[in-house]
Amino acid sequence: MRQMLFLAAGVLFLAFFGVGKVCAATDKANPVFRSKVGTFEVYALSERQSEGSLSILIDASSRDIEKYVSSGSYPTAVNTFLVRTKDGAILIDAGLGEKLEGNLKSIGLSPDDIGTILITHSHGDHIGGLVKNGSPAFPKAKVYISKAEFSWSPQVRRSLSAYAGCVSQFDPGNLADSGLEIMEGIRAIQAYGHTPGHTIFLIESAGERLLVWGDLTHAMAIQMPRPDISVTYDSDPVRAAAIRKEVLKFVTDGKVPVAGMHVAYPAIGNIERDLEVAEGYKFIPSAE
Ligand SMILES: [Zn+2]
């Protein structure tokens, strides 16, 4: 395990982890989907279900638009994920911070129950929920973020100043090496491109896995059959497309279920090759 850098000498918190499948409760606007990974429970907590704009798609041909998003939009969402293990509750991203507390409450958790927060990247729909009225929204949490993300984003440094002493920066590993184990059952993998330090997390328990892929995609309807299409939110569209293709190959070859922050409900599912499209894929949502 590579070296981890603790910002300011702080108390070392231990926290932990977990994916599979089960129920669904649901309020249409911010549904919760429950799944399992080995002995871990994983919840997709949605703050928003909506239709995305075609204007963010880079270099989508009119033929592709006609074929995959002919309605003029596509389903999208804003999700965070909560992993519950025998040792604690881990939040992956903090979302917009609008519905998160209510969503946690709906699964029996309060902000004080969150011992660990893993950050994929520093955009507002992923870190908006970290701070409330200038104080940590999750007072007992230790926050993990890649060094590359922490160093480029003034916004995340500002938000994380509320967590001083409880922030751990790390260098995620490569996909080919299955990333870096940052705690039992959780590996951090670099997926730079969407942002300079965008990190995805591979959850493993009892022989099962789930890859929480952050913002690897925004428009599943067209980015699965055409993963080379990036979006204007990607800071490096070429690099974002390259890692997207690499990850899609990895999860297809390894039959690893995936979870995405902008994948419409249920937000979790499996990827298969789309045999009708060269280098294309299909997303099969998990069943309720
Ligand atoms: Zn996002």
Side-chain angles (χ1 to χ4, degrees), residues 22-28 30-34 44 46 48-50 75-79 260 262-268 283 285-288:
V22 200
C23 77
T26 300
D27 175 343
K28 235 179 160 186
N30 45 308
V32 171
F33 181 75
R34 189 173 72 134
S46 172
R48 198 174 282 177
Q49 297 289 316
S50 56
T76 186
V78 176
N79 307 310
H262 299 301
V263 177
Y265 183 85
I268 296 175
F283 176 67
S286 287
E288 290 181 6

Side-chain angles (χ1 to χ4, degrees), residues 121 125-126 194 215 218 262:
H121 67 292
D125 52 326
H126 300 260
H194 174 59
D215 279 16
H218 293 75
H262 299 301

